[in-house]
Amino acid sequence: MQTAWVDGKIVPWHQATVHISTHALSYATCAIEGIRVYNGHAFLLEEHMKRLIESAHTLSIKIPYTIAELIQATNNLIKKARLKNGYLRPLAWLGDETLELNAKTLSSHTAIIALPVDETFGLRHHARGLRVMISSFSRPAPYTSPSLVKTAATYPLSIMARHEAERNGYNDCLLLDYRGYLAEGTGANIFLVIDGKLHTPIPDSFLNGLTRQTVIKLARKNNIDVVERAIQPDELKIAEEIFLTGTAYEIMPVREIKDFGIYSKDAVTNKLQKAFTALTQNFYL
Ligand code: PMP
């Protein structure tokens, strides 16, 4: 059942609304999260709520709840929604008192949307892998946009890149950063397997995803070396395997990158997928 918690209480779905003059609607003053629920448990819940507070802080949105209270609210919501496999979308945004840019006097609001998803959510392409292309859009410099946190401001670019992929017959896009290095996907981070080691860009112009951080820990635990460094797009040509990581995608193999290559090996990707699935079912690292 789809359900929402808004400013402290669970409300009927059709009452979970905002006014059209809400600051967030005009100016994207909204921090967001995405959390998976596996078997009734929200995965990495504390980490996601910490990130929500940090993202909100960047936009001067004050969340009047502690992490413990947000965790409690989430767990109550999961129970109320009877979610087994689901997706949660926490939001923190600025209210509707004024449309002036200076947002210091505006009210802050917090909500969590709970949606059921079937077990194949995001995983439709796991077996075959994604066909992707490099987008004509790139991730901006961190001093021009709140790129290191998770706010609504990131997503018009991601959406335009997704549409660009679809227009060209691909599943998704990869984005370079403002310097021309490889950055990430539209809603996921990227890893290359080169000589059996994982190589991944330094998250200095994009979100350091929680799945990315988890995969790095899992790789090291499985004796797979991880190198974080600036990666040139041309290095995509020498990679043995490539995969994307994110809350929705989990660990998603990339099969083809337009003009760069076709990737048919998957030994390292498979090993990490198995370790990740075990973790989502067991919840410890
Ligand atoms: N980058 C972007 C732009 C994203 O939207 C996401 C999804 N939240 C990620 C990376 C991956 O982050 P996470 O693993 O925390 O879901």
Side-chain angles (χ1 to χ4, degrees), residues 34 48 51 139 150 154-155 158 184-189 207-212 245-248:
H48 280 285
R51 189 169 73 182
R139 287 280 176 233
K150 193 166 166 72
T154 299
Y155 290 93
S158 292
E184 59 165 353
T186 54
N189 296 121
L207 191 70
N208 181 7
L210 294 172
T211 320
R212 176 186 183 277
T245 64
T247 295

Side-chain angles (χ1 to χ4, degrees), residues 14-259:
H14 293 289
Q15 287 173 30
T17 56
V18 293
H19 193 268
I20 53 165
S21 60
T22 295
H23 202 267
L25 200 55
S26 286
Y27 307 123
T29 39
C30 180
I32 71 169
E33 269 305 321
I35 308 175
R36 286 291 284 279
V37 176
Y38 296 103
N39 286 327
H41 295 281
F43 184 57
L44 302 178
L45 179 56
E46 182 171 349
E47 289 83 348
H48 280 285
M49 288 308 184
K50 279 187 182 153
R51 189 169 73 182
L52 180 73
I53 290 172
E54 193 189 324
S55 304
H57 181 74
T58 308
L59 295 173
S60 302
I61 303 167
K62 293 178 208 77
I63 297 182
Y65 303 100
T66 61
I67 293 186
E69 286 167 336
L70 292 170
I71 289 173
Q72 167 105 56
T74 307
N75 288 331
N76 288 344
L77 185 66
I78 290 171
K79 261 199 213 124
K80 175 87 180 173
R82 288 192 229 105
L83 273 194
K84 191 162 177 287
N85 293 296
Y87 186 79
L88 305 171
R89 164 55 46 81
L91 300 155
W93 71 97
L94 291 177
D96 55 20
E97 294 85 356
T98 172
L99 281 175
E100 282 177 31
L101 285 187
N102 187 340
K104 286 279 158 52
T105 58
L106 280 164
S107 57
S108 294
H109 299 273
T110 318
I112 307 167
I113 302 169
L115 300 172
V117 295
D118 74 36
E119 281 159 58
T120 62
F121 173 77
L123 310 182
R124 287 186 294 277
H125 296 287
H126 265 198
R128 268 182 309 133
L130 296 178
R131 296 178 59 247
V132 305
M133 58 178 278
I134 307 276
S135 178
S136 59
F137 302 104
S138 49
R139 287 280 176 233
Y143 47 83
T144 63
S145 160
S147 333
L148 306 181
V149 289
K150 193 166 166 72
T151 75
T154 299
Y155 290 93
L157 197 62
S158 292
I159 290 164
M160 290 190 292
R162 277 272 171 112
H163 292 172
E164 184 180 27
E166 277 166 25
R167 266 198 315 279
N168 286 280
Y170 289 83
N171 305 120
D172 208 343
C173 271
L174 303 179
L175 280 80
L176 305 184
D177 72 13
Y178 61 104
R179 298 161 295 200
Y181 290 121
L182 191 61
E184 59 165 353
T186 54
N189 296 121
I190 187 165
F191 287 83
L192 288 68
V193 180
I194 302 175
D195 292 334
K197 293 183 187 167
L198 290 189
H199 293 250
T200 190
I202 299 162
D204 56 4
S205 70
F206 57 84
L207 191 70
N208 181 7
L210 294 172
T211 320
R212 176 186 183 277
Q213 294 175 45
T214 303
V215 164
I216 289 174
K217 282 189 209 154
L218 283 175
R220 291 189 170 138
K221 215 175 144 205
N222 283 277
N223 299 317
I224 300 168
D225 287 338
V226 183
V227 189
E228 293 183 76
R229 62 180 179 84
I231 298 177
Q232 298 282 359
D234 259 359
E235 297 185 62
L236 293 168
K237 291 181 180 157
I238 58 161
E240 294 130 27
E241 300 174 40
I242 297 182
F243 60 84
L244 300 175
T245 64
T247 295
Y249 272 179
E250 300 182 327
I251 298 176
M252 179 69 78
V254 171
R255 278 291 160 249
E256 179 189 339
I257 305 177
K258 181 176 183 280
D259 301 331

